[in-house]
Amino acid sequence: MDGGDRIAEVLRRHGVQFLFTLCGGHISPILVGAKRRGIRVVDTRHEVNAVFAADAVARITGVPGVAAVTAGPGLTNTITAVKNAQLAQSPVIVLGGAAATVLKGRGALQDIDQMALMRPHVKWAHAAKRVRELVPMLEEAFRVAQEGVPGPVFLECPVDLLYREDVVKSWYVAKTKPGQAPSLGERALATYLGFHTWRMFAGADDARPQTPRPVPPPALARDELRAAAEAFARAERPVIVVGSQALSIPGEARGIASALEAIGAPVYLSGMARGLLGAGHPLQMRHARKAALKQADLVVLAGVPCDFRLDYGQNISRKAVLIAANRSEEEMQKNRSPDVPVLADAGRFLQGLAGRLADAGQVRDRSAWVAKLRAADDARDKDIATQADGASAEPEALVNPLHLCRRIEAALDDRSQLVADGGDFVATASYIVRPRAPLSWLDPGVFGTLGVGAGFALGAGLVRPEAETWIFYGDGSVGYSLSEFDTFVRHKVPVIAVVGNDACWAQIAREQVEILGDAVGTELARTDYHRAAAGFGAVGLEIREAAAVDAVIAEAKAAAKAGKPVLINAHLGGTDFRKGSLSM
């Protein structure tokens, strides 16, 4: 076995099904070893998308996603995706190729200080120096990625640890001129290289892959659960906000949903928690969250920090009891200290809370409170419907984004999964398009990263090939990953991408133009993105008027069902739907 085989065997034992990559000479043995063991090697057109795809796999399955990238620029290209995974708390493993151990710091191809680059953005970063370290280090990487607050990890794998010993020895034979005895310096070099090689491979077979052990989540303390249940039982107007971290154990999604139903309080879902209760559950509210939090006498934040998305805690009434369940002490205390802190897995907390309330007979009828919030929610939906039916604010006959999103919502398959990658258009879609099931909505998270679309969709589409996989793109964000339509075609991942083409970076332009009176840097062209996708072998479709929307959506769904990736280039008219929205 070479080093690549050893790494691949660890991946196999940990249940890794996909290895995302962009090929490079420093990592070839890893790719070949993975293929030999039945791990599907999925090559992208940019390393950042390999890591985004690994991130999506981790979020949906709970098994750390893995990406292998070559040294130097191959690794630097991943930084945005790695940082996004860190802030989104996704267990991602990045395997980075590196210059040979004997050439470190001597000007080898693509040799940089990769550890200094990666350490600030990962939970754990180590560089193997001997073959025997590859297996235990990678096993440790899997453990660290999943324990406590999940996150990305990095293992540097120098190229001379990945090839067979005889191959590496052939590289390190000191060269002498024909017919001449080696000089003293050449003999010294040969001795050094021989010792170095022996040391690299010594004991390699002693480190054998072990059977992985489960990584338990942080324990739920009984005192914390009791205090939370007692406070909840007293509340007249409780509100529960569930975030991505509550889904850190994807296999418990159904149990968490059942717990929320048993608790019987109004629920707002964000991030990966969207879809947890299906498309139209009576307890789930989608609009007027700020007003609900102001009226609530108790708020539960389950895996949700008080960051900009909750106006740094200002959305929650100071008179309300605040219960925060989080794996991270820092996030739990951010900007607003909870009255009842629960340092534990948020999903396990919700299940424990439901059980405790039921056992104590403290589940209360809060139907009047739920009905009040439901009325506000329904009123907002009616307002959106009215705006969707209105004419575009632009003089040309283009598509109202509200109308487009409502027609997509009506056409979505029950097994659909949705990827959000954009600003104004995607935010509009989030008001209208409803995920049908748990773990079927992927957005970047708190980092707000543009460019996640293709990578997320690639990972999601591979994990669930039976599902319709949709990408909602802005015409700004599609520019980051349009070339991955080549990847979708080659790997037969039939995504349906919808580009909201309004010829500008609309989310920025709204405030910039109004406040500063200048659109500089925000203007784009009404580019033929559908033609670019077709050039990669996908199906390219275009919408320029509302009358064509339903027919184009139907054509896209039929093409995807036939196994072809699709890009719909939807030309949008102007709208004031999100006027005044600005996040920072």
Side-chain angles (χ1 to χ4, degrees), residues 108-163:
L109 174 68
Q110 299 177 335
D111 181 25
I112 60 172
D113 185 352
Q114 298 186 148
M115 303 306 293
L117 175 74
M118 297 299 289
R119 280 195 186 100
H121 314 297
V122 296
K123 290 181 66 178
W124 177 98
H126 283 271
K129 294 179 172 62
R130 304 183 188 186
V131 175
R132 71 185 187 193
E133 296 175 345
L134 291 172
V135 167
M137 280 187 173
L138 184 51
E139 291 174 335
E140 176 74 355
F142 270 94
R143 183 187 66 79
V144 173
Q146 299 173 81
E147 70 178 358
V149 181
V153 296
F154 172 66
L155 177 59
E156 182 179 87
C157 307
V159 65
D160 52 354
L161 303 187
L162 301 180
Y163 282 86

Side-chain angles (χ1 to χ4, degrees), residues 399 401 404-405 408 421-422 425-426 470-479 481-482 485 496-504 524-533 541-543 566-572:
V399 182
L404 173 62
C405 292
I408 293 172
D421 184 11
F425 174 63
V426 172
W470 292 72
I471 311 174
F472 290 87
Y473 273 127
D475 56 342
S477 62
V478 72
S481 61
L482 184 59
F485 270 84
I496 303 174
V498 181
V499 180
N501 188 346
D502 55 9
C504 73
L524 297 170
R526 289 198 177 273
T527 301
D528 289 340
Y529 299 107
H530 58 296
R531 293 184 185 273
L541 304 173
E542 186 178 29
I543 301 174
V566 183
L567 185 146
I568 301 172
N569 188 18
H571 293 270
L572 305 181

